[in-house]
Amino acid sequence: MKKLIIANWKLNPTTIKDAQKLAASVFRRAKNTVVLCPPSIFLSQIKYPHLGAQDCFWQEKGAYTGQTSPLQLKSLKVEYCLVGHSERRQIGETDIQINFKLRTLLDHKITPVLCIGYGTTPEEDDLAVVDILRSQLDVDLQGIDASKIVVAYEPVWAIGIGKTPTSEHAEKIALFIKSKYNVGKVLYGGSANVMTSPAMLAERHIDGLLVGGDSLIAEHFNKIINF
Ligand code: PGA
């Protein structure tokens, strides 16, 4: 079955020319479904079959300086939007705000990719992961049809360092999220790269990957989307 592979370019690259070059080097036809999430300022000038945003605001329009509206994303044919990434939670995004964003995105038929995770060290993660995920999901998903949501489980300690939990751990968490919250799809994220991805993708309840660093290296990303 096709898995869903989402590229999170974060604040990269720094020019539209490089962004277009990167997008052009990603295979259009891959074994899996592929979504590119470039910086929002580049979205209108990136050509790729499936596009996602890295964030959006919960209001449609008005006096909200610096925000991006779901209607604006819709007008660019954006189909997915990351919400609640740990790098946004670190600068103050709350679960209540995340809940507003999920509601708005669903209203506009943009598929939200809700990022959850915890633990700045593997030890901390082991102790409290399920409790923390529950506390995030209980608020994030309040009043929401979770079957329409994609959840990305990203242990914070695994992001950007090249190490991951075992695929068995990620599978256990994916099963927990699906069985307790009726979530449609669960992805794994956090150093999902050309080395670590095959084992994650082989797990039954892991429906795909959210890839940061390795999505910027076309040669690696093209392998990941074809595993
Ligand atoms: P990484 O980032 O693949 O570079 O660890 C993933 C993410 O933060 O979404």
Side-chain angles (χ1 to χ4, degrees), residues 52-113:
Q54 296 175 17
D55 185 37
C56 94
F57 197 46
W58 58 83
Q59 296 286 357
E60 292 174 351
K61 59 179 182 171
Y64 304 105
T65 303
Q67 300 288 4
T68 304
S69 145
L71 286 179
Q72 293 165 339
L73 295 180
K74 197 81 197 165
S75 77
L76 297 180
K77 305 209 177 345
V78 168
E79 296 171 88
Y80 295 81
C81 183
L82 308 184
V83 179
H85 191 281
S86 64
E87 288 154 11
R88 298 204 52 81
R89 292 177 187 261
Q90 267 163 26
I91 54 170
E93 185 154 298
T94 66
D95 288 297
I96 302 268
Q97 292 170 335
I98 289 166
N99 178 262
F100 289 159
K101 291 182 181 190
L102 296 181
R103 287 167 187 260
T104 312
L105 287 165
L106 287 179
D107 284 349
H108 294 291
K109 304 206 164 24
I110 297 173
T111 303
V113 181

Side-chain angles (χ1 to χ4, degrees), residues 68-215:
T68 304
S69 145
L71 286 179
Q72 293 165 339
L73 295 180
K74 197 81 197 165
S75 77
L76 297 180
K77 305 209 177 345
V78 168
E79 296 171 88
Y80 295 81
C81 183
L82 308 184
V83 179
H85 191 281
S86 64
E87 288 154 11
R88 298 204 52 81
R89 292 177 187 261
Q90 267 163 26
I91 54 170
E93 185 154 298
T94 66
D95 288 297
I96 302 268
Q97 292 170 335
I98 289 166
N99 178 262
F100 289 159
K101 291 182 181 190
L102 296 181
R103 287 167 187 260
T104 312
L105 287 165
L106 287 179
D107 284 349
H108 294 291
K109 304 206 164 24
I110 297 173
T111 303
V113 181
L114 167 63
C115 304
I116 57 168
Y118 174 68
T120 49
T121 65
E123 295 73 30
E124 189 184 31
D125 203 36
D126 275 353
L127 287 177
V129 63
V130 169
D131 289 344
I132 299 284
L133 296 185
R134 202 180 269 133
S135 73
Q136 292 176 340
L137 287 166
D138 284 349
V139 181
D140 297 343
L141 295 178
Q142 209 164 30
I144 281 180
D145 178 358
S147 68
K148 301 203 163 95
I149 300 259
V150 176
V151 167
Y153 166 56
E154 300 202 293
V156 177
W157 61 265
I159 292 176
I161 61 156
K163 286 191 190 143
T164 62
T166 62
S167 61
E168 291 81 8
H169 164 87
E171 169 75 355
K172 217 165 69 189
I173 298 288
L175 189 55
F176 158 74
I177 295 167
K178 283 184 180 171
S179 58
K180 289 275 181 281
Y181 292 91
N182 193 33
V183 159
K185 278 187 166 70
V186 177
L187 313 182
Y188 171 78
S191 295
N193 57 36
V194 77
M195 303 297 290
T196 60
S197 295
M200 290 293 176
L201 289 172
E203 296 291 351
R204 180 158 165 233
H205 294 285
I206 297 178
D207 302 296
L209 302 168
L210 179 56
V211 187
D214 245 13
S215 70

